[in-house]
Amino acid sequence: MENIHALIENVERVIVGKRPVIELACVAILCKGHILLEDVPGTGKTMLARALARSIRVDMKRLQCTPDLLPSDITGVAVYNQKTADFEFRPGPVFTQLLLADEINRATPRAQSALLECMEEFHVSVDGQSYELPKLFTVMATQNPIDMAGTHALPEAQLDRFFIRLHMGYPNLDQEIKILAAQAQTHPIETLQPVTSEAQILAARAEVKNVYISPDVAAYIVGIGAASRKHANLRLGASPRATLALARAAQGLAYLRGQAFVTPDLVKQIAPAVLEHRLLVRPQAAVLGRSGGEILAEILGQLPPPVV
């Protein structure tokens, strides 16, 4: 657990004042989940991915999503080798531990769907051959919620495959002054040193699975998902995959807090990041200004947590 806290503190040297976001990103990595970073440009989304990769000492590749991006540009392609008179597979950028898919909503649906198998199955199929991805393979996708011209909204099936959605947000005045001072001579990312390794992260993943979830807390987690499916203002509630993700995320957060079991408070704390992007609000409710986050908060407020 010490190496995970060292990882968070190391990344915080680059991403100033965003410890809760860094913690949730680490929870996603510990739970073998993918991250959707949604915020305006210039808030440190790409830098967060770079800092995590450097701190863990793993390979990171950046995929700049554009309208002309092809699925083969993501997964790789078989190329004919004249010397061997045979086709050779040339891996795409998806063959890495940390893949930064920048502005994913600017890629076409066809290119977006190329990530689906990779994110869910952790392997790539090309010309009838299957290629395994690295064990630590994690997708960190960014999207800009403001400039929507020329973008393609992520389909519900792909949104459901993102374990967690994070918002960086603007720094406050004191934090922004610290950022200016830290980058006066050079960027902190240039001197950032690794503090953990892929093997240690994989070992921590196994420990997270041992965090205990009592039957009462499990019923509480399932009840949140069931309540979202019945809510009158939601067209689509949390799927069983979302319920499982909430349970795993609560285990990861409990592990970070040094707890051997999951409490209802931890479930409520992490539920918005895990569930909010999976909820579809009915048009009639959206016109009245209701959002998925507001409805989820209403569900969490009405559903009594178990006594632990």
Side-chain angles (χ1 to χ4, degrees), residues 10-17 47 173-192:
N10 201 50
V11 174
E12 203 172 11
R13 291 177 52 202
V14 178
I15 309 297
V16 178
M47 199 55 61
L173 293 179
D174 291 337
Q175 292 167 352
E176 200 156 2
I177 291 173
K178 289 181 181 179
I179 293 172
L180 290 177
Q183 298 185 29
Q185 301 296 329
T186 182
H187 200 291
I189 192 71
E190 303 301 331
T191 57
L192 202 66

Side-chain angles (χ1 to χ4, degrees), residues 66-276:
T66 56
D68 59 348
L69 188 71
L70 298 175
S72 58
D73 295 331
I74 299 172
T75 59
V77 65
V79 178
Y80 184 73
N81 188 328
Q82 291 184 345
K83 292 182 179 179
T84 61
D86 200 0
F87 283 92
E88 295 179 353
F89 177 67
R90 292 189 180 178
V94 76
F95 286 86
T96 184
Q97 281 89 357
L98 186 58
L99 175 66
L100 175 64
D102 208 5
E103 293 191 286
I104 188 173
N105 56 335
R106 293 204 175 276
T108 61
R110 186 181 175 201
Q112 290 174 8
S113 65
L115 283 173
L116 290 179
E117 181 186 14
C118 307
M119 294 170 64
E120 187 70 17
E121 306 296 338
F122 289 84
H123 68 75
V124 171
S125 297
V126 177
D127 293 337
Q129 294 291 324
S130 183
Y131 304 92
E132 294 294 326
L133 295 174
K135 291 183 179 179
L136 201 65
F137 172 69
T138 304
V139 173
M140 292 186 68
T142 72
Q143 66 176 359
N144 177 5
I146 303 301
D147 182 14
M148 301 304 292
T151 62
H152 302 269
L154 293 173
E156 289 77 8
Q158 189 163 342
L159 278 173
D160 200 34
R161 281 169 171 79
F162 280 103
F163 183 80
I164 205 166
R165 183 177 68 174
L166 304 177
H167 302 278
M168 299 293 291
Y170 288 118
N172 60 36
L173 293 179
D174 291 337
Q175 292 167 352
E176 200 156 2
I177 291 173
K178 289 181 181 179
I179 293 172
L180 290 177
Q183 298 185 29
Q185 301 296 329
T186 182
H187 200 291
I189 192 71
E190 303 301 331
T191 57
L192 202 66
Q193 298 297 317
V195 294
T196 186
S197 65
E198 182 177 4
Q200 289 177 313
I201 297 296
L202 294 176
R205 279 184 176 180
E207 294 175 0
V208 168
K209 294 179 181 178
N210 294 326
V211 175
Y212 179 67
I213 300 180
S214 69
D216 287 343
V217 174
Y220 177 61
I221 293 172
V222 172
I224 294 172
S228 70
R229 296 168 206 156
K230 298 176 183 177
H231 200 283
N233 290 330
L234 289 178
R235 185 162 59 93
L236 181 68
S239 68
R241 182 193 284 120
T243 305
L244 181 59
L246 180 56
R248 287 164 52 202
Q251 285 178 304
L253 190 58
Y255 179 79
L256 282 188
R257 300 287 185 264
Q259 298 180 194
F261 57 91
V262 173
T263 61
D265 287 343
L266 291 180
V267 175
K268 293 180 70 172
Q269 182 180 339
I270 205 166
V274 177
L275 299 182
E276 189 175 330

Side-chain angles (χ1 to χ4, degrees), residues 273-285:
V274 177
L275 299 182
E276 189 175 330
H277 64 285
R278 306 171 193 261
L279 306 178
L280 286 184
V281 181
R282 292 188 182 276
Q284 303 92 320

